[in-house]
């Protein structure tokens, strides 16, 4: 049976990773998709588990061979979702979640209109701004750049199917469960 594909995006700093980690703990029959990337593995990251770590040449060949459902450049590295990986998972009836950026998410929707896009947002721009300023770790220029990126992402999120406000991890995880399990029931 083919399952629905779920795509979760959110600006960095909103706790998207924590929400997803908790969701997967509570719903062990779900798995995260494994993307390809050209960035070097961080400590503890394993090839084929966290990412498929490939060279820029291999990545370029995959683009030319139309192997990606979507791909994007992020902070000087390339990230992409292989069509074959996703199709195989869906055919095997796996419950799969893609954790990718907002541009990638919209590209997936164009090719697979049945995919469900979920955006995790900060409680408010002011709250995020206060948090960034409160940390005193970034200068004004960096803060403004990050806020602009967040604004762009919030604009793209207008085209998402669901928005979940991360005011508390527990609430956000429950909302994510409602969306995902509800969508599956209607599939
Ligand atoms: P990181 O290098 O921290 O693992 O990921 C950086 C960013 O790339 C995150 O925002 C993550 O969601 C995004 N990302 C990871 N895999 C993919 C992918 O396959 N496609 C796209 N478009 N973004 C990805």
């Amino acid at each position: 049976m083919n399952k629905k594909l779920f795509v979760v995006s959110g600006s960095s700093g909103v706790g998207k990773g924590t929400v997803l980690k908790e969701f997967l703990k509570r719903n062990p029959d779900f798995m995260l998709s494994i993307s390809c990337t050209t960035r070097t593995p961080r400590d503890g990251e394993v090839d084929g588990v966290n990412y498929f770590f490939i060279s820029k040449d291999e990545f370029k060949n995959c683009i030319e061979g139309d192997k990606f459902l979507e791909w994007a450049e992020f902070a000087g590295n390339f990230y992409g979702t292989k069509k074959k990986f996703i199709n195989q998972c869906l055919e095997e009836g796996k419950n799969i979640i893609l954790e990718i950026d907002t541009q990638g998410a919209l590209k997936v929707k164009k090719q697979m209109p049945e995919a469900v896009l979920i955006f995790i947002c900060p409680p408010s721009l002011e709250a995020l701004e206060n948090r960034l300023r409160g940390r005193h770790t970034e200068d004004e220029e960096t803060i403004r750049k990050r806020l602009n990126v967040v604004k762009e992402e919030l604009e793209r999120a207008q085209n998402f199917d669901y928005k979940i406000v991360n005011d508390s991890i527990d609430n956000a995880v429950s909302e994510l469960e409602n969306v995902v399990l509800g969508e599956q029931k209607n599939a």
Side-chain angles (χ1 to χ4, degrees):
M1 183 186 71
N2 265 12
K3 291 282 178 92
K4 269 198 181 167
L5 183 66
F6 294 95
V7 184
V8 175
S9 301
S11 24
S12 58
V14 298
K16 168 189 60 169
T18 317
V19 172
L20 274 173
K21 218 164 122 191
E22 187 55 34
F23 174 88
L24 292 172
K25 220 179 353 173
R26 292 191 203 172
N27 299 276
D29 51 326
F30 277 81
M31 61 174 276
L32 280 185
S33 150
I34 307 170
S35 300
C36 296
T37 183
T38 60
R39 82 153 162 72
T40 43
R42 296 184 188 126
D43 268 359
E45 283 185 335
V46 178
D47 185 43
V49 175
N50 305 91
Y51 281 105
F52 297 109
F53 294 98
I54 63 174
S55 68
K56 281 201 171 145
D57 278 345
E58 280 176 88
F59 203 96
K60 231 171 87 188
N61 285 340
C62 288
I63 296 175
E64 281 160 10
D66 195 25
K67 304 276 190 232
F68 288 125
L69 178 60
E70 64 76 37
W71 64 272
E73 190 181 353
F74 188 92
N77 292 303
F78 293 95
Y79 296 83
T81 311
K82 280 262 185 86
K83 283 180 190 171
K84 198 171 160 193
F85 179 85
I86 298 301
N87 289 337
Q88 224 161 16
C89 288
L90 292 175
E91 275 162 24
E92 286 168 11
K94 288 187 177 143
N95 295 309
I96 187 154
I97 299 182
L98 264 67
E99 182 198 345
I100 60 176
D101 80 318
T102 46
Q103 295 182 67
L106 293 177
K107 284 185 206 158
V108 171
K109 186 79 173 178
K110 241 186 206 162
Q111 295 186 62
M112 301 176 79
E114 70 282 11
V116 180
L117 305 196
I118 303 161
F119 186 78
I120 302 193
C121 8
S124 71
L125 261 185
E126 290 74 31
L128 190 71
E129 190 168 349
N130 287 340
R131 209 160 74 207
L132 287 177
R133 288 190 200 287
R135 291 200 302 210
H136 298 297
T137 48
E138 283 106 359
D139 57 32
E140 186 56 33
E141 166 89 9
T142 312
I143 291 177
R144 219 169 305 135
K145 263 193 206 151
R146 284 197 54 172
L147 286 172
N148 277 340
V149 172
V150 174
K151 277 181 198 157
E152 268 173 31
E153 287 181 322
L154 286 172
E155 263 162 43
R156 276 190 220 113
Q158 300 305 322
N159 297 312
F160 275 46
D161 300 296
Y162 295 94
K163 272 178 245 158
I164 292 176
V165 178
N166 187 17
D167 47 0
S168 87
I169 297 290
D170 226 38
N171 283 348
V173 174
S174 301
E175 257 192 75
L176 186 57
E177 281 181 324
N178 286 342
V179 166
V180 169
L181 305 179
E183 281 280 347
Q184 273 200 333
K185 230 184 265 163
N186 297 330

